[in-house]
Amino acid sequence: ILKCCTGKYIAFTAGDDLCLPGKISKQVEIMERDQSVVLCYHDVEVFNSEDNKTLRYWNQGSSACSPIYGSAEKVAKAVTASGNSFMAAMSVMVQRKAIPLTGFDQRIPHVSDWFMWIEILSGAGRGMRVEYLPEVLARYRRHGSNITSASYGDSDDIMVTLAIAENRYPFLIRSADNCRLKLRYAKGVRLILIGKTKLGRYFLHLSLRSGWVSWKIFYWLAASYIPSLLQLRKSK
């Protein structure tokens, strides 16, 4: 489908998400006004598919990810380090000429859009920029069968992506390392929560040796030895 696109700009979305009035026109206006903008994204409302209730906003509110924009190189580093948490895929519009000729990388089906942003931003060239619109211009439908819900528990695709990215773009090596240590921390916590405390402790130690994530790592290390700490946490 991507190879069939012939327009100057390409906007990404999924079949079960909703575009709000003005989304396309406002993004095109920004990119037409400034040809140095290689990628543009906006805020998104996340809602529950069953009752239409707003769960959160992607880039505003207490549980949101702060938007990052500016030079393409700066954002490429941030996208790599964060796992693309601050940029909803359905909010992205890019210059078509900036898309790699090979399109989405089929080796990493679950996070191919993330690697696409890394490639677009890393290959954009000097002077190219990312723009952010603070408006909510789309709604992301949340339900039990979301691809992101099903796939991100397994970090294999993410690790493969980081290996490809740092090999292809050496300036991303430090950002890739930062992402790995956060993944190890998160995996350690998940393993402890499901009772695999020894393996969870191993991943927490790996994370701690790689760098710094959070003071909470010491709580989780303690919880891996003292199960009653987990029960106390659940009772609160």
Side-chain angles (χ1 to χ4, degrees):
I1 295 175
L2 187 60
K3 292 180 179 179
C4 295
C5 297
T6 58
K8 186 176 181 180
Y9 307 112
I10 294 180
F12 296 83
T13 190
D16 59 350
D17 297 326
L18 305 173
C19 295
L20 298 180
K23 168 186 163 63
I24 300 298
S25 60
K26 289 181 179 181
Q27 289 187 275
V28 169
E29 180 182 358
I30 284 179
M31 300 186 79
E32 280 289 285
R33 188 168 62 238
D34 185 351
Q35 293 295 300
S36 70
V37 176
V38 68
L39 183 151
C40 172
Y41 71 104
H42 56 74
D43 200 1
V44 168
E45 175 195 359
V46 181
F47 72 100
N48 185 14
S49 182
E50 294 185 1
D51 58 13
N52 202 40
K53 181 181 178 181
T54 299
L55 301 176
R56 66 182 180 91
Y57 292 95
W58 210 278
N59 299 117
Q60 57 181 307
S62 58
S63 60
C65 301
S66 298
I68 300 174
Y69 49 93
S71 75
E73 181 176 321
K74 180 186 83 171
V75 180
K77 291 178 179 178
V79 166
T80 304
S82 72
N84 194 38
S85 58
F86 62 88
M87 197 162 64
M90 65 169 304
S91 75
V92 173
M93 178 179 285
V94 302
Q95 291 187 16
R96 182 173 62 87
K97 66 181 181 181
I99 293 178
L101 295 177
T102 52
F104 288 111
D105 195 315
Q106 300 302 312
R107 292 172 293 180
I108 42 175
H110 296 306
V111 295
S112 56
D113 56 345
W114 176 38
F115 186 54
M116 173 72 76
W117 315 149
I118 292 174
E119 289 218 281
I120 289 172
L121 297 172
S122 298
R126 185 180 297 274
M128 301 303 285
R129 301 173 45 252
V130 172
E131 191 62 70
Y132 166 73
L133 283 75
E135 297 180 64
V136 176
L137 296 174
R139 303 182 75 212
Y140 175 80
R141 189 185 305 273
R142 192 71 177 171
H143 50 75
S145 58
N146 284 118
I147 291 177
T148 49
S149 299
S151 66
Y152 274 81
D154 186 344
S155 60
D156 288 351
D157 267 17
I158 302 176
M159 290 298 192
V160 171
T161 299
L162 293 172
I164 297 172
E166 65 184 0
N167 180 66
R168 194 167 296 177
Y169 309 105
F171 77 93
L172 295 177
I173 289 176
R174 180 170 294 181
S175 298
D177 285 341
N178 288 337
C179 188
R180 286 190 188 94
L181 73 89
K182 287 183 284 188
L183 284 171
R184 288 165 182 152
Y185 170 77
K187 187 166 186 175
V189 170
R190 286 196 301 271
L191 288 166
I192 290 169
L193 284 171
I194 63 174
K196 297 182 178 180
T197 55
K198 186 175 181 180
L199 188 56
R201 190 160 58 243
Y202 169 76
F203 277 98
L204 291 182
H205 281 137
L206 276 182
S207 176
L208 197 56
R209 287 198 294 268
S210 301
W212 182 248
V213 178
S214 169
W215 285 103
K216 293 180 181 179
I217 195 169
F218 297 111
Y219 163 80
W220 291 109
L221 282 170
S224 72
Y225 288 102
I226 311 171
S228 59
L229 289 176
L230 291 178
Q231 296 301 321
L232 182 63
R233 177 176 177 270
K234 292 176 182 178
S235 65
K236 290 184 178 179

